[in-house]
Amino acid sequence: MTTTGQTTNERSGGRHRVVVIGSGFGGLFATKELKRADVEVTLIAKTSHHLFQPLLYQVATGILSQGEIAPPTREIFADQKNAKVLLGEVTDIDLENKLVTSVVLGRTTVTPYDSLIVAAGAGQSYFGNDHFSEFAPGMKSIDDALELRGRIFGAFELAELAETEEEVERLLTFVVVGAGPTGVEMAGQIAELAHNTLRKDFRRINTHAARVILVDAAPQVLPPFGAKLGASTQRSLEKRGVEVRLGEMVVDVDERGLVVQAKDGTRTRIDAVAKVWAAGVQASPLGKILAEQTGAPLDRAGRIGVNPDTTLPGHPEVFVIGDMMSLDNLPGVAQVAIQQGKYAAKEIKNRLKGRPPQKPFKYFDKGSMATISRFSAVALIGKIRLTGFIAWLMWLGVHLVYLTGFKNRFATLVKWFVTFISNNRSERAATEQQIFGRLALGKLEHGAADLVTPPGEWNRIREELVARAEEEARLTDSGQRGVRRETVGAGAGSGDSSNTNARISGA
Ligand SMILES: Cc1cc2nc3c(=O)[nH]c(=O)nc-3n(C[C@H](O)[C@H](O)[C@H](O)COP(=O)(O)OP(=O)(O)OC[C@H]3O[C@@H](n4cnc5c(N)ncnc54)[C@H](O)[C@@H]3O)c2cc1C
């Protein structure tokens, strides 16, 4: 793979250059906070959208389309004149020379900064068993959600075609690993699909007979919500037909099922084609790159320890925020990233204005929520615990408020209204590519970059085409078309066999 090197030499007119890595909650709110500041912001992210992760499960289960929860970052900042957006996966941060290197499809860009905000979030963790991901996709990106949509709806389709009872059972067994908010939401939604939404759509299978299993090694569901709400959520899920298996750890996953191990070491195999991995997170590998240059500690989830003002030890110009940092046991939730994004941006503005630094970052906990199914949720706000319909209405309101853009809010509201009233899902389209594209790309050495001509190569091809075109014109202009040339050393009468009238393909 060849790469071209490009340095974005910001024409900042001497203005302070802020580079923000990541267009998630932290990066988005930091960039917005800098709107009126006398700075030049470059936001670099590996996707061209901002992703509202809390609603990914609704994309996976056919309620929302991906566009409704992933507005284009460029559009969000179209009116913010001091911000520009660059697509690219950051592969290196050089703290000494203040340079960020990003790559997209073999194209390399190096961006200098004066201040840096790193908000690259976290990915899925398979606790050292990354091969599980082949058959149990995680829930972190649009690709993940669309793949899961394909796998979930595809399992029902294949079950309708299955020839044996055993096959039908395997296809109609869905396993969700991880009983945190994402696992609870996924299990609740798959149960609702099987037991309600899809009931009338099939002729041979009884979707109501589908098994939805939620597995976790922990002793309760939703541990951060406390024992009481955890127990009530478990009851609610069981009432909706979800089998909750706690204290069981997944020790193997393959195409046709998985193996769980109980505390006493007993292993049980569960045959299931569709598996969802919603357990564990691993911070962005950029944390390791920063730790190596600063000696800052990394915790078990790869999160980098930061100072109380979210800066990197020894580098006051670098802020690390959100899911990829570790500070005061703060949870990996959107509000932490949002509040830290605003905090870091304010600190940069203060410094530029010569104002004193802010007090150390303090998180304001606005509460936690998770839906269980239609009309049912749990919420923990301070000491107040809410369950059922009221919690569900609050969940709807809060998620609408934080969804970016009026267009998205409006479209989501309409979809929710249709889905929750009619119990139908309008986003059930699924394709083979959705299901198998990730695995196919994974088989290539450099992923999608192997499928495109490297940018440098285009220049070579262009030069070749130009040379051929010039030669064509020269032959015509100098009257050499159709003229046989004698070749030196050729046998009598042989001549040059290449007729100059021959077309050059592609020229
Ligand atoms: C399925 C799911 C449901 C959730 N539900 C809730 C919820 O209900 N409530 C709640 O508060 N929180 C929820 N969370 C957690 C919440 O989404 C995160 O805490 C929050 O997104 C963290 O924000 P962040 O900015 O740190 O990272 P992210 O929002 O993850 O953003 C990271 C950004 O960095 C980019 N990036 C990553 N690596 C690179 C790289 N090398 N180069 C360039 N760009 C890079 C990514 O593309 C992305 O734009 C949920 C998370 C998931 C996955």
Side-chain angles (χ1 to χ4, degrees):
M1 189 177 60
T2 51
T3 59
T4 54
Q6 186 197 341
T7 302
T8 57
N9 190 9
E10 309 297 288
R11 285 180 295 277
S12 56
R15 286 208 287 179
H16 189 86
R17 296 161 303 182
V18 182
V19 170
V20 177
I21 302 175
S23 59
F25 285 104
L28 196 80
F29 279 80
T31 306
K32 280 186 177 175
E33 185 70 35
L34 289 165
K35 185 168 184 177
R36 275 177 250 289
D38 187 21
V39 296
E40 191 78 30
V41 187
T42 305
L43 189 154
I44 308 174
K46 65 179 177 185
T47 64
S48 59
H49 54 259
H50 160 69
L51 178 59
F52 192 84
Q53 288 175 342
L55 289 177
L56 265 179
Y57 80 94
Q58 296 206 353
V59 174
T61 54
I63 297 174
L64 296 177
S65 77
Q66 61 272 34
E68 278 142 14
I69 66 160
T73 318
R74 233 166 247 299
E75 191 180 286
I76 298 171
F77 292 112
D79 292 331
Q80 185 169 332
K81 293 282 178 279
N82 70 352
K84 76 173 191 181
V85 176
L86 283 187
L87 180 67
E89 175 162 6
V90 172
T91 51
D92 194 27
I93 301 169
D94 176 349
L95 292 176
E96 199 185 328
N97 297 303
K98 298 187 180 171
L99 297 172
V100 171
T101 303
S102 54
V103 180
V104 62
L105 293 176
R107 216 177 267 270
T108 303
T109 307
V110 180
T111 312
Y113 64 83
D114 298 309
S115 293
L116 176 66
I117 301 177
V118 191
Q124 207 76 63
S125 167
Y126 288 82
F127 309 114
N129 295 295
D130 287 355
H131 57 286
F132 289 179
S133 71
E134 187 172 351
F135 306 110
M139 263 283 273
K140 280 284 175 188
S141 64
I142 289 288
D143 280 337
D144 292 339
L146 291 178
E147 180 178 341
L148 281 169
R149 184 198 285 177
R151 284 175 182 261
I152 292 165
F153 287 102
F156 287 102
E157 295 298 338
L158 290 178
E160 181 82 346
L161 298 168
E163 285 166 9
T164 63
E165 258 319 295
E166 191 198 0
E167 214 184 337
V168 173
E169 266 175 36
R170 190 170 55 241
L171 284 158
L172 290 188
T173 300
F174 300 86
V175 181
V176 179
V177 185
T182 305
V184 164
E185 287 172 339
M186 277 305 287
Q189 281 304 316
I190 299 173
E192 196 164 301
L193 274 178
H195 303 156
N196 277 314
T197 317
L198 300 179
R199 240 178 353 163
K200 293 194 211 142
D201 291 13
F202 292 87
R203 298 292 170 260
R204 289 183 67 209
I205 55 167
N206 171 15
T207 65
H208 204 268
R211 285 175 75 194
V212 182
I213 303 171
L214 180 64
V215 187
D216 202 306
Q220 74 156 88
V221 300
L222 296 181
F225 286 67
K228 255 190 178 171
L229 277 184
S232 119
T233 304
Q234 182 174 346
R235 281 194 300 276
S236 226
L237 284 169
E238 286 169 345
K239 214 167 81 188
R240 285 164 176 81
V242 177
E243 292 173 39
V244 181
R245 298 175 71 139
L246 298 171
E248 293 190 27
M249 199 172 79
V250 175
V251 290
D252 197 15
V253 182
D254 60 39
E255 193 178 352
R256 295 157 71 87
L258 48 74
V259 178
V260 291
Q261 181 172 309
K263 261 197 243 149
D264 63 5
T266 321
R267 292 190 169 198
T268 315
R269 183 174 170 85
I270 305 171
D271 285 333
V273 172
K275 281 94 59 187
V276 182
W277 193 270
V281 291
Q282 184 67 30
S284 158
L286 293 182
K288 188 162 173 261
I289 291 176
L290 295 174
E292 279 164 3
Q293 293 174 62
T294 56
L298 284 181
D299 69 11
R300 280 176 62 195
R303 288 176 304 201
I304 187 163
V306 293
N307 293 325
D309 64 353
T310 78
T311 59
L312 262 187
H315 287 272
E317 76 285 8
V318 180
F319 299 81
V320 186
I321 60 171
D323 276 8
M324 65 174 290
M325 64 84 225
S326 149
L327 175 68
D328 302 339
N329 294 317
L330 289 171
V333 294
Q335 273 303 326
V336 169
I338 292 172
Q339 292 174 27
Q340 287 188 331
K342 291 181 180 175
Y343 177 94
K346 270 190 198 142
E347 195 56 35
I348 293 171
K349 289 195 286 188
N350 280 357
R351 288 177 191 174
L352 290 176
K353 289 188 173 160
R355 291 185 184 146
Q358 302 169 91
K359 286 187 185 146
F361 174 76
K362 192 152 176 19
Y363 172 51
F364 174 56
D365 187 354
K366 295 185 177 175
S368 312
M369 297 175 180
T371 44
I372 299 167
S373 68
R374 194 165 59 128
F375 307 143
S376 175
V378 285
L380 179 67
I381 300 146
K383 287 195 172 128
I384 303 169
R385 295 185 184 90
L386 294 168
T387 56
F389 189 61
I390 301 282
W392 185 75
L393 283 181
M394 281 183 67
W395 179 94
L396 286 188
V398 168
H399 283 72
L400 266 190
V401 168
Y402 281 100
L403 201 56
T404 301
F406 172 77
K407 224 172 31 181
N408 292 62
R409 276 187 211 127
F410 182 73
T412 301
L413 194 62
V414 171
K415 283 271 178 65
W416 281 352
F417 187 76
V418 172
T419 304
F420 299 137
I421 297 300
S422 69
N423 199 16
N424 278 326
R425 314 245 161 156
S426 45
E427 300 295 339
R428 281 166 52 177
T431 67
E432 266 186 21
Q433 283 187 31
Q434 269 171 232
I435 304 171
F436 299 108
R438 175 178 64 101
L439 298 179
L441 285 176
K443 293 198 159 106
L444 301 174
E445 198 184 346
H446 304 108
D450 283 354
L451 301 175
V452 298
T453 307
E457 189 72 356
W458 279 115
N459 291 338
R460 194 190 57 71
I461 294 171
R462 190 203 315 275
E463 278 166 23
E464 202 176 302
L465 291 176
V466 168
R468 284 189 196 184
E470 284 172 356
E471 174 65 2
E472 284 279 286
R474 190 190 65 77
L475 290 171
T476 303
D477 293 344
S478 60
Q480 289 187 50
R481 299 278 183 197
V483 178
R484 181 154 303 171
R485 276 185 284 142
E486 290 302 323
T487 330
V488 181
S494 68
D496 184 356
S497 61
S498 63
N499 189 323
T500 49
N501 274 332
R503 285 210 162 270
I504 301 172
S505 72

